[in-house]
Each structure stands twice: as C-alpha cells, then as structure tokens.
Amino acid sequence: MTTTDTHCPYCSLQCGMRLQAPHDGGEAQVLARPDFPVNRGALCGKGQSATAVLGAGVRPTAPLVRDKRGGELREASWTEALDRVAAGLAATAQRHGRESVAVFGGGGLTNEKAYLLGKFARVALRTPNIDYNGRFCMSSAAAAHRFAFGLDRGLPFPLEDIAKADCVILVGGNPAETMPPALRYFRELRSNGGTLIVVDPRRTRTAEQADLHLQPVPGTDLALALGLLHLAVADGRVDQAFVAERTTGFEAARTAAMAHWPERVEGLTGVPVHQLREALRLFADAAGGIVLTARGPEQQSKGTDTVGAWINLCLALGKAGRPGSGYGCLTGQGNGQGGREHGQKADQLPGYRSIEDPAARAHIAHVWEVEADDLPGAGRSAYELLDTLGTEGGARALLLMGSNPVVSAPNAGHITERLRALDFLAVSDLVLSETAHLADVVLPATQWAEETGTLTNLEGRVILRRRALTPPQGVRTDLHVLRELAARLGVDKGFPEEAEEVFEELRRASAGGPADYAGISYRRIRAEEGVFWPCPGEEHPGTPRLFLERFATPDGRARFAPVTHRPAAEEPDHEYPLYLTTGRVLSQYQSGAQTRRVPELNRAAPGPFVELHPQLAARLGVADGEALAVTSRRGRAVAPARVTDTIRPDTVFMPFHWAGAGRANTLTNPALDPVSRMPEFKVCAVRVERVR
C-alpha cells in the first residue's frame, strides 16, 4: 500500500505522521512516524482520528450558493460560484470603495495560502483590510518578543531544549490537553532532575505534573511576574554582568517592579508569599531556566505588558540568549507562526516586514511587479475588522478562508450579527462551519492530506505537508480559488496554483526580512526534516537557536519593558461577582468545526460545561451535571455544571469549542490590548445561576 510522510492538521507541534492510502475506498490510516524529531512517533487522539474529517459525508463536495437573503444554500458549479464571489467583491468595491471589501484568514492555512491571500487582498482587491484569527492566538507574545528581542519566533530554541533546562516556568498553558505529545519534554525535564513550575488558576493535567503550582486570580499574571522580579532585586539575585553586557532599560523596569512587593502581590494574585519566594528561588538557582507563556497571560487587555514582565524576569536573571535558557511562547494554531509572517496580518508584509516601512514596500512591490504606491497601508486588526462589518465605514463584503468567528471570536453574538449585516459573505473551508452557514457562497476546500504545502511550527521549523490522498471530485484548493478570483478581478498573473511555485516566490519575497526563508526549499525540508528560519541562503544551515551571540535589536541588546500592573478591563462586582476564564479540552480543537465531526472525539468530549469549585456549587445549591447559566454583560450561556476542587472558588471555567447555548465566547470581553490588539478572552466578570 502507498504511504506518505506528512504532518497532523491541528496544533502548532505539527507532529509527523504517516498516512496509508485506502485501497478499497475506505478511510486512510494514520500511522506513527518515529523519525520526526518533534513528536517522535507520538500522536494525540485528534491526530490519530484526523482522516475522519475528510470523508465525503462530513463535508461539502460542491460549491454552495444562496439565491436570496434568507434562502437555502444550494449546490452550484464552480464557475457560477466563483463568478458570484468575484461579482460580489467587485460590486461592493465599486459602490463603497476598496476599503469596503475585506479578507479574513486563518492560522491553519499553509504558508503558501497565507502568502497568496495577503497578496490577493493587496494586489487584486487593493484593500488594506486583511487580518486573521491568529490575532487571537499569540499576537501579544509576538509584540513583546519584538520589543524585547527585535524578532518574534514562538520558541527561539527547539522543543528538545525544554528537557535539558534546569527549571521551566510555564505560565497559563496546558500542553497535556492542548498538545499532548509535547508533555514528554516536561516529563523528561523532571526525570533529568529539573524543576517544573506551572502558573494557572486551575489545577490542570499539566499543573498536576508540576513541582510547584501557583494558582493566581485570573488576570493577575502581570503582578505575579513583577513580584518575582521585585524579589530577584531585593534578594540580590540579578545577574549584573549579563544585564550590563547584553541588555538596556533595566533601571526603569527595576523601578516599576519595586512597587510590587511580596505582600502586595499576594493581595493582588492570591498566591502566598512563601510560594512566590519558592518560585523565585527555584528559578534563580537553576543554571539554565526557561519561561514559557501560552494563551493564559497573553489573551488579556494587558497581554503584551504581561509577557514583557516575564521576559524581564528572564533578562534580569541572565536566562536568555544562552543555551538551555530563554523565553518562548507555546503557539496554538497549526500555522500561527508562519501565518502572520507572510502577510495575513493587517500591518505586515511577507518576511515579517512592516507594511509602513518604505524599503519593505519597495521590496515586496518589486517581487509582485506592482508599484509600491499602489500597495495599501495597514488595515484594521481582527476584532476591529469584524466589529465594523456591515457598518458605515466598515467592510461590506468579506472573503473568509479557514476561520469560524461565529464560535471563536469574543463577544460572539455581536460578531454573528455583524456577519449577518454584510452585503456579501464568501467562505472557503473544509467543512460547513457555523460561519459558512451564514455565507452567500461556500467554496469547498481541500485540506492537509489532499494538498501539498509548508507550515512553520512553534519552534520556527518550516515543515512540508505532502499530498497523500486524492480529494473528492468537486473540491478545489484555496490556491485555485485565489487564482480564479484574481483572474476574474482583472489580475491574470502572479497567482500560481502549484504550492511549490508559490513557495519559490515567497522565498524571494521574504529574502532579507526578519523571517527570511530565502535558503529554504522543498528539497531541503524533505532532506532535513524541516529547516529553522532565519535561513538566508541555500548554504546556510538554518537557525535552531536564536540570540546566542546577539539579539536582533539594532544594538544587539535585549530591551527591558518598563511595565506595571493594572487590573483587567472588567473586574467582578456586585452584579457580576465571579471571574470567567476559558480554554480547551483534550479531545476538541479551537472552534470545533472539524473535531466535532469525529465520533470518537465527541464521545470523549461531547459538549460544553461549566467548571466550578465545590464551595461555589454549595452556595448556588447546584449538583454536578445540573444546568448552569453563566451571564456576562454581553450575553448568556447555559451548560452542565462540572464540580471540581481543581479551580479557584472565585472562578468558573468554560471550554470554547461549541456553538449554540453553551458558546463560551458569547460571554467573553473584546477589550483589546493597546499594542497587540489581542482581545481579553481569558478574564471577564460573570454571574452564575441554576437553570430552574
């Protein structure tokens, strides 16, 4: 039988797997691929069942169009569907101006798709309004990374370095459920004699592995990091030589931290002083130390400052820019890293270039064979784009590719209404998601196993998904869609359909930029099991470990962030007395558009729930499994109670994978970080009541 080495379609690990094509029309088999260094053959249940989503009965296999508003979707030919999309975009632009047309992408799109989607927006549509759901993933970490180090790559070192560190602080992440094959690195860390500290309001499966679990009030991670830096300064543990030789801005950061003495931080965070001192001792005494953040501290209205404060701790203790030490972000989506590097973000051009930089605009314009002055400027960030859909001055027509904001956006009820207010909505996706159900045209797209393309995993390793299966008749690639739409909009050149041809252009576009892929080719990726960027030439070995000699700032020094604690945008009060935090569970992924179609995953995680402490349950008079209503200033969600002592008594938790009555993002707060424009998914004020 034919087998093909490829990669999982889900999280940012991009685990290696081997697909065995069916010989009798059945389902393709997922096999282990022990030679791929990231997961070494291990797969979670989502990866093992990934081919179940590709069946013809699970997805549309012909375009769907709606003849009138409120009418039913019906099957159509590709010619009719593409004509309708092009006409809808063109008519809106003619009637309301180019900025009335927008594009919204996804963090699961390949580098080739992300690159061509950005080019399509700026060359074929000539609109500034393009962003993607990766803005909801790690944009705060990216902003803090760029400020501190001059360069944003999720992990500036390979995953294997986690196991070799002496102490790791993991802030607001739960890889035991979100990326299970990565948990082995934390287990190896401990078996090697290292220490794991987990910071999380919940005692998650990952926190249960920790030597020390700090359980702060949601939204207080910034105060916690500042308190640890205060202790480092007060106890004389600052690495003065490292600070002097390799950093700038320490005095301002030190002054800010000194206002966060241990007793104050205990009052803000709920973390006892003795635990603060123990965490600082463990991290400071370690020869090599790593801080990792995930969505917990990042999805806050002060997420950039919060990540900056944790980076400050690393810098003050000399735990950055050295083997076995550093700061890293556990990227969430499959191509959350590469998706923003090559043009899906409103403010970026390929190669992680700023769209406002004249030299960057000139370089990209040369590659694209257009005039630099014809490239639009920066557009609205993801939530701001969605929030203004269908309004005066907002986008009136939207092409959406590989995203499901009806479930995944904050304040999701409002965003659903904004999508309904559009003059025209086209969706290209693998499945008929909740967002696709609102569309005027749905374009059925191939995915991972049915197409070839590159992605960039959380380590900055560029990998190659290889086509292993023939897609159903009637399904097309997103690259085909972009080529056909561009041609209908009068741009006949520059939109190739073959992924490798797109990647070759991406290499030229990224050359010389911060995310330089110029030396990476499909041939090299196959031969080397992925290549780490930056890789500026074909003779360059790639860069598994960044910053060992200098940081990517103009003077080569890392920069401290002068940050201070501030409360969440919305704190509990008399009317809404509890904190809500949200997250993922083991057997579902993101908005659930794909995983909710897999029977074995649904058996393991059949629906939403509200996790609450026994003290709160007793106060409410609610038993495990009873229906609970959770209400915020934005809406109401109803789901069964799950009573557990693993959560703080002042906090409830809901997973965000489901639509309908239990949609967690009906409740969440769209307050934005002023730098990253990341919404505050991870903390808002709610009240909880029994449903009688």
Side-chain angles (χ1 to χ4, degrees):
M1 294 186 182
T2 302
T3 61
T4 304
D5 286 350
T6 189
H7 295 268
C8 178
Y10 292 115
C11 82
S12 65
L13 287 181
Q14 284 303 291
C15 291
M17 61 167 57
R18 192 162 285 142
L19 285 188
Q20 182 174 284
H23 66 284
D24 57 358
E27 190 175 297
Q29 297 299 304
V30 176
L31 307 175
R33 186 180 160 193
D35 57 326
F36 188 65
V38 173
N39 61 310
R40 296 180 248 166
L43 291 169
C44 72
K46 295 186 288 289
Q48 290 170 340
S49 62
T51 56
V53 186
L54 301 176
V58 183
R59 58 197 283 204
T61 55
L64 304 172
V65 300
R66 201 183 305 274
D67 291 320
K68 61 180 181 179
R69 277 295 164 101
E72 296 295 318
L73 288 167
R74 63 166 176 83
E75 289 193 358
S77 69
W78 271 95
T79 297
E80 180 186 2
L82 290 167
D83 285 348
R84 285 199 181 204
V85 176
L89 297 173
T92 303
Q94 185 173 23
R95 191 159 52 245
H96 300 288
R98 291 194 179 102
E99 293 193 12
S100 68
V101 177
V103 174
F104 197 85
L109 301 181
T110 63
N111 288 320
E112 292 81 359
K113 293 180 182 183
Y115 171 81
L116 215 62
L117 188 63
K119 183 178 181 181
F120 176 79
R122 290 161 178 134
V123 173
L125 296 176
R126 294 180 65 181
T127 179
N129 287 319
I130 173 171
D131 215 274
Y132 82 129
N133 62 17
R135 179 77 70 169
F136 302 157
C137 176
M138 56 176 293
S139 55
S140 291
H145 234 145
R146 286 198 307 275
F147 177 82
F149 305 128
L151 185 69
D152 159 41
R153 199 179 82 186
L155 294 182
F157 42 73
L159 273 165
E160 64 188 49
D161 285 13
I162 293 172
K164 300 172 185 175
D166 297 290
C167 182
V168 171
I169 301 178
L170 173 60
V171 189
N174 183 17
E177 298 200 57
T178 60
M179 47 178 66
L183 194 62
R184 69 167 58 194
Y185 294 102
F186 297 94
R187 289 180 174 143
E188 289 173 11
L189 160 77
R190 298 187 70 208
S191 66
N192 291 338
T195 302
L196 175 62
I197 301 169
V198 171
V199 179
D200 200 302
R202 303 165 62 225
R203 191 171 73 245
T204 62
R205 296 187 189 188
T206 305
E208 289 173 351
Q209 305 284 324
D211 298 280
L212 177 63
H213 174 208
L214 309 182
Q215 202 164 3
V217 171
T220 63
D221 309 272
L222 175 53
L224 181 60
L226 287 163
L228 295 178
L229 181 55
H230 176 108
L231 287 171
V233 174
D235 294 351
R237 291 179 173 274
V238 173
D239 187 333
Q240 299 289 354
F242 180 88
V243 168
E245 294 167 11
R246 299 202 61 189
T247 74
T248 60
F250 174 66
E251 281 307 310
R254 183 192 67 79
T255 300
M258 297 319 288
H260 299 78
W261 57 92
E263 292 75 16
R264 182 189 178 206
V265 170
E266 178 178 336
L268 290 168
T269 67
V271 177
V273 169
H274 71 88
Q275 287 193 344
L276 296 172
R277 293 189 181 280
E278 177 67 1
L280 189 278
R281 183 190 67 80
L282 291 169
F283 193 61
D285 286 350
I290 289 172
V291 170
L292 301 171
T293 65
R295 304 303 77 74
E298 297 164 17
Q299 287 181 328
Q300 298 183 26
S301 59
K302 53 184 182 293
T304 301
D305 284 358
T306 301
V307 174
W310 287 102
I311 293 174
N312 285 352
L313 182 67
C314 291
L315 296 177
L317 297 175
K319 291 177 170 47
R322 292 172 169 172
S325 288
Y327 162 77
C329 165
L330 296 181
T331 312
Q333 296 187 83
N335 202 30
Q337 182 71 49
R340 69 180 180 282
E341 292 169 5
H342 300 300
Q344 279 192 103
K345 275 186 74 181
D347 55 352
Q348 286 177 195
L349 290 171
Y352 222 131
R353 290 178 161 92
S354 169
I355 201 166
E356 305 293 357
D357 177 5
R361 293 171 64 85
H363 174 83
I364 298 301
H366 176 74
V367 174
W368 288 352
E369 299 182 357
V370 298
E371 294 297 321
D373 288 345
D374 289 340
L375 294 176
R380 293 185 172 102
S381 71
Y383 184 80
E384 292 164 304
L385 190 158
L386 295 172
D387 180 44
T388 55
L389 293 177
T391 66
E392 189 68 32
R396 309 295 294 265
L398 179 69
L399 171 63
L400 187 146
M401 192 170 279
S403 186
N404 188 19
V406 165
V407 179
S408 64
N411 197 11
H414 169 69
I415 295 305
T416 301
E417 292 308 307
R418 297 273 44 85
L419 287 161
R420 293 184 189 277
L422 285 165
D423 295 345
F424 181 79
L425 172 63
V427 172
S428 179
D429 210 337
L430 168 69
V431 295
L432 195 62
S433 69
E434 286 77 12
T435 305
H437 273 289
L438 303 180
D440 298 288
V441 179
V442 179
L443 304 173
T446 57
Q447 283 296 326
W448 69 289
E450 302 165 347
E451 60 186 15
T452 294
T454 63
L455 295 94
T456 306
N457 82 344
L458 77 170
E459 310 164 295
R461 185 195 303 259
V462 185
I463 56 97
L464 181 65
R465 282 190 195 157
R466 301 166 174 87
R467 173 170 164 158
L469 306 173
T470 302
Q473 188 175 4
V475 174
R476 302 284 186 271
T477 69
D478 289 315
L479 298 181
H480 172 85
V481 168
L482 294 174
R483 187 194 71 178
E484 292 296 315
L485 290 179
R488 284 166 168 78
L489 294 169
V491 183
D492 295 320
K493 292 171 52 181
F495 290 88
E497 189 172 348
E498 291 301 317
E500 189 167 6
E501 188 177 348
V502 178
F503 190 78
E504 288 300 305
E505 182 178 304
L506 182 157
R507 292 174 65 189
R508 291 188 285 114
S510 73
D516 193 335
Y517 283 33
I520 304 176
S521 64
Y522 277 29
R523 177 193 59 77
R524 280 194 66 180
I525 296 171
R526 291 188 186 99
E528 301 173 29
E529 294 291 7
V531 181
F532 291 86
W533 72 262
C535 183
E538 295 193 12
E539 303 306 315
H540 192 282
T543 314
R545 293 172 182 84
L546 296 169
F547 314 138
L548 297 183
E549 297 178 3
R550 69 187 309 275
F551 296 98
T553 55
D555 62 3
R557 291 170 173 261
R559 295 179 287 220
F560 279 89
V563 297
T564 189
H565 176 71
R566 60 185 186 274
E570 184 178 86
E571 293 281 345
D573 56 19
H574 177 72
E575 188 176 2
Y576 300 96
L578 299 169
Y579 293 97
L580 169 71
T581 191
T582 65
R584 287 168 49 189
V585 297
L586 176 63
S587 294
Q588 300 289 351
Y589 181 72
Q590 303 300 73
S591 76
Q594 295 184 46
T595 50
R596 285 187 276 115
R597 288 169 166 79
V598 180
E600 65 189 83
L601 298 179
N602 282 332
R603 284 192 292 271
F609 56 86
V610 182
E611 191 176 277
L612 73 164
H613 192 276
Q615 292 176 13
L616 177 58
R619 199 160 74 237
L620 295 171
V622 66
D624 198 76
E626 284 191 67
L628 276 181
V630 183
T631 306
S632 76
R633 289 177 173 85
R634 288 152 296 280
R636 182 174 185 262
V638 178
R642 183 173 292 185
V643 182
T644 173
D645 64 1
T646 61
I647 192 167
R648 294 178 54 90
D650 57 3
T651 302
V652 295
F653 166 84
M654 291 186 72
F656 61 80
H657 309 290
W658 287 274
R663 181 175 61 183
N665 277 322
T666 298
L667 308 168
T668 48
N669 190 354
L672 300 182
D673 180 289
V675 178
S676 69
R677 317 309 288 169
M678 166 81 85
E680 191 154 57
F681 287 98
K682 280 297 181 280
V683 53
C684 70
V686 297
R687 66 172 180 265
V688 179
E689 302 156 308
R690 291 179 65 192
V691 176
R692 299 183 183 275

